[in-house]
Amino acid sequence: MRKLLTFCMVCSLAIGVLDAQKIPVNIDSAVTTKGSVTIKGKQVPYTATAGKMPVWDEDGNAIAGLFYVFYKRSDIKDTSKRPLVFSFNGGPGAASVWMHLGYTGPQRIKISEEGYPVQPYGVEENHNSILDVADIVFVEPVNTGLSRPVDGMSKEDVAKTFFGVNADVKYLARWISGFVTRQDRWPSPKFLVGESYGTTRVSGLARELQERQWMYLNGVVLVSPTTLGIRRDGPVDDASMLPYYAATAWFHKQQPSDLQQKDLTEMLPEVETFTINELIPALTKGGLLPLAEKKNIAAQMARYSGISEKVIMEHNLRIPTRFFWKELLREEGYTVGRLDSRYLGIDTQDAGERPDYSPENTSWQHTFTPAINYYLKNYLNYNTDLTYYIAGQTRPWDRSDDHTGEDLGRAMSENPYLHVMVQSGYYDGACDYFNAKYNMWQIDKTGKLMDRMRWRGYRSGHMMYLRSEDLVTSNEDLREFIKDAIPADGEAAEYKHNGLNIAKPVIEGEQNGF
């Protein structure tokens, strides 16, 4: 009996020791490697620093360790004029891997020309990286990638400190300021790039950095932007997805022949004009809209969207997005993707109001998850037992008091050097291109900032850079934007009276919707 009791006590102690063990994490450490990449036919040498840097609270206590990868061109000694780009993805629980290994970094995932997974998994040189013109920092917010809060924080404190629109902006601004100081990059022109929820993040950061960290940016890039806290309730919200529906219907050849014969960018301005001048006013009338007028509107919506007039009438001219993804190709037995409607899915049954899953999302995770784990270990020599969170736990996320679009407009007003570029995929149904334009119209209601704003459209979805043709174009647009946003030597940051002339937005690329 005594032997049995002793054995149980030893087992209990052993289990306790095992329970107490945690993966060791150094929140202030880094590994630097060297590499090179050919960009536009020229060899670009660089150092890649992968590591963690603490987030400090206002009392100087470390509250988290943020993982980052910093690419610095190594053949340039004077960095005072060298642009520095901070890159964020969205979610808000998404890691930075998407733009890191998909868009601007020196190495890129191996995928097909249109962005579909291929095997064997791996990475290859990204000959379109912007590393030739700017150094890049890919940042993982708390609970994404390898970033974690410090041990000892309660779940409530973690959520309050990190998981919310304004909390997120506050701690990241402090971290960016600290990083710039450590790297001695205060003289450098600075840029923020955000994708999806990352656009909410960088829009808020633009003002937070200026007003709390006294850091003034040269540019903010919004890749597939959210609504940025800009309200669009009622008829505007109900109508604004029609241009996206039309783009998707055109891609899948669901429009009448006269529309299909037009190029995408020739057809869409017609749909945008109809949406603004006819559909929104019609929806505003609600039940007062005469039946004949309602039928005329439904008939036109059917032409553009590929959804039958009967179904549109049954929905009172308001087509929910989830229903659209299910309905457009229902008779052919397919659904279309949410984030990229070029992708097709197969449901368990054709009936229903919404797809079973998002085919594009499963495809992308299929591609990126093995690639980032392989890349960190074998290319960056970063070894850890921590799990890399492609999608981390950041819920509940406090979305209240979201005025990030307004913040971006204020930052532009305060800083004559600050430029903004928006990049949108026509087939993105989550952060659609037309609502991205609407953001621009509302951010600057005066029209006086529009000469520092530009919009670019691409024939793909949420992550336009996964399509090879758009990877080239979108990175070239970034290069051009960065160069244009840096003033000439000695050029003052001042406003000059220009009579009654109102600036015009720079709308180039695939489509002009203004």
Side-chain angles (χ1 to χ4, degrees):
M1 183 67 180
R2 184 175 297 176
K3 290 183 179 180
L4 178 61
L5 180 61
T6 303
F7 175 77
C8 290
M9 290 176 62
V10 170
C11 288
S12 177
L13 287 171
I15 292 172
V17 170
L18 289 173
D19 285 345
Q21 288 179 341
K22 290 188 176 181
I23 297 172
V25 176
N26 186 340
I27 64 171
D28 200 351
S29 61
V31 176
T32 299
T33 54
K34 295 181 179 180
S36 65
V37 58
T38 302
I39 302 173
K40 305 186 76 170
K42 296 182 179 180
Q43 198 76 4
V44 177
Y46 63 86
T47 60
T49 300
K52 289 193 173 186
M53 193 181 104
V55 176
W56 307 101
D57 65 15
E58 294 177 350
D59 296 323
N61 300 308
I63 54 176
L66 291 199
F67 182 73
Y68 67 90
V69 179
F70 176 33
Y71 296 99
K72 180 181 178 182
R73 184 166 176 169
S74 56
D75 60 349
I76 296 178
K77 293 183 178 180
D78 181 8
T79 59
S80 63
K81 295 183 180 180
R82 174 76 172 166
L84 180 63
V85 174
F86 289 89
S87 180
F88 295 92
N89 272 92
S96 68
V97 59
W98 309 101
M99 289 200 290
H100 184 179
L101 291 187
Y103 194 6
T104 55
Q107 300 290 327
R108 185 172 183 262
I109 54 168
K110 292 180 179 179
I111 50 178
S112 73
E113 289 289 309
E114 290 297 319
Y116 290 89
V118 296
Q119 289 187 347
Y121 301 115
V123 296
E124 58 191 4
E125 283 195 12
N126 181 6
H127 301 301
N128 298 286
S129 169
I130 61 169
L131 190 56
D132 57 331
V133 299
D135 296 333
I136 317 167
V137 190
F138 294 95
V139 186
E140 312 274 20
V142 171
N143 266 20
T144 73
L146 298 174
S147 297
R148 303 289 191 271
V150 297
D151 291 339
M153 291 187 73
S154 67
K155 291 183 178 180
E156 292 75 16
D157 285 342
V158 169
K160 181 180 178 180
T161 306
F162 303 114
F163 300 161
V165 174
N166 295 297
D168 181 67
V169 164
K170 186 176 180 180
Y171 86 82
L172 286 173
R174 292 199 304 270
W175 188 91
I176 290 172
S177 178
F179 185 91
V180 168
T181 298
R182 282 195 179 192
Q183 299 297 327
D184 193 20
R185 297 300 292 266
W186 277 93
S188 300
K190 300 170 196 67
F191 295 80
L192 303 179
V193 179
E195 179 181 78
S196 195
Y197 184 84
T199 62
T200 299
R201 180 172 280 139
V202 299
S203 294
L205 278 169
R207 185 176 180 183
E208 181 73 14
L209 284 168
Q210 285 183 191
E211 297 186 356
R212 299 291 183 270
Q213 302 298 326
W214 308 282
M215 181 182 293
Y216 287 74
L217 304 171
N218 286 77
V220 173
V221 180
L222 308 178
V223 181
S224 304
T226 64
T227 60
L228 306 181
I230 298 170
R231 296 181 67 90
R232 58 201 78 199
D233 300 327
V236 172
D237 186 42
D238 292 334
S240 61
M241 294 300 290
L242 182 61
Y244 153 73
Y245 292 162
T248 302
W250 181 89
F251 179 83
H252 291 290
K253 296 180 171 53
Q254 299 298 305
Q255 291 183 329
S257 59
D258 62 313
L259 294 177
Q260 288 292 163
Q261 289 171 3
K262 296 181 179 182
D263 186 66
L264 175 66
T265 57
E266 181 185 2
M267 178 270 295
L268 286 177
E270 177 183 331
V271 186
E272 293 181 14
T273 300
F274 169 79
T275 300
I276 295 170
N277 295 338
E278 299 184 52
L279 181 55
I280 291 175
L283 293 176
T284 302
K285 296 178 182 178
L288 293 179
L289 184 68
L291 181 59
E293 187 176 345
K294 184 175 183 179
K295 288 183 176 180
N296 287 335
I297 293 291
Q300 195 67 358
M301 290 179 67
R303 272 177 49 79
Y304 294 142
S305 68
I307 305 299
S308 74
E309 182 179 344
K310 177 178 181 293
V311 169
I312 291 173
M313 286 292 289
E314 289 172 349
H315 283 79
N316 287 321
L317 310 182
R318 295 163 174 84
I319 303 298
T321 51
R322 290 175 178 175
F323 179 79
F324 174 81
W325 301 323
K326 181 75 173 183
E327 177 71 14
L328 182 66
L329 300 179
R330 190 191 298 270
E331 293 187 2
E332 298 179 28
Y334 295 103
T335 62
V336 299
R338 168 178 173 262
L339 294 164
D340 192 330
S341 294
R342 297 174 302 147
Y343 288 70
L344 300 179
I346 299 176
D347 282 356
T348 54
Q349 60 180 22
D350 294 335
E353 298 292 308
R354 54 184 291 179
D356 292 346
Y357 67 101
S358 297
E360 76 293 341
N361 198 38
T362 57
S363 172
W364 295 342
Q365 293 194 11
H366 183 171
T367 304
F368 280 85
T369 304
I372 186 62
N373 284 284
Y374 170 80
Y375 180 70
L376 290 175
K377 185 177 184 67
N378 293 278
Y379 279 71
L380 300 185
N381 198 29
Y382 193 86
N383 294 288
T384 179
D385 290 327
L386 286 176
T387 298
Y388 186 92
Y389 290 160
I390 290 282
Q393 173 55 264
T394 58
R395 296 179 180 179
W397 190 268
D398 183 0
R399 296 179 183 270
S400 63
D401 198 24
D402 180 359
H403 41 71
T404 50
E406 178 185 333
D407 289 339
L408 180 58
R410 174 65 70 83
M412 291 186 72
S413 296
E414 294 176 352
N415 179 7
Y417 281 154
L418 182 56
H419 291 65
V420 171
M421 180 168 72
V422 178
Q423 295 183 302
S424 297
Y426 291 116
Y427 308 124
D428 182 358
C431 300
D432 68 289
Y433 88 90
F434 186 68
N435 271 293
K437 290 184 176 182
Y438 184 84
N439 284 345
M440 297 173 71
W441 303 335
Q442 306 309 313
I443 285 172
D444 176 29
K445 295 183 176 67
T446 69
K448 296 176 183 177
L449 307 176
M450 286 293 180
D451 60 340
R452 289 186 277 138
M453 302 176 76
R454 64 183 69 180
W455 179 89
R456 298 289 186 270
Y458 308 92
R459 296 176 186 241
S460 44
H462 197 69
M463 296 194 288
M464 68 286 298
Y465 45 82
L466 296 186
R467 179 173 177 258
S468 293
E469 183 178 327
D470 290 327
L471 173 70
V472 176
T473 306
S474 56
N475 270 301
E476 198 57 38
D477 288 339
L478 283 175
R479 278 190 192 81
E480 179 184 341
F481 174 73
I482 289 170
K483 292 176 181 178
D484 290 347
I486 298 175
D489 288 353
E491 181 180 338
E494 63 176 328
Y495 291 119
K496 296 180 180 180
H497 181 62
N498 192 31
L500 296 178
N501 293 331
I502 301 297
K504 298 295 183 182
V506 180
I507 307 295
E508 298 175 2
E510 286 284 5
Q511 187 211 349
N512 185 334
F514 289 80

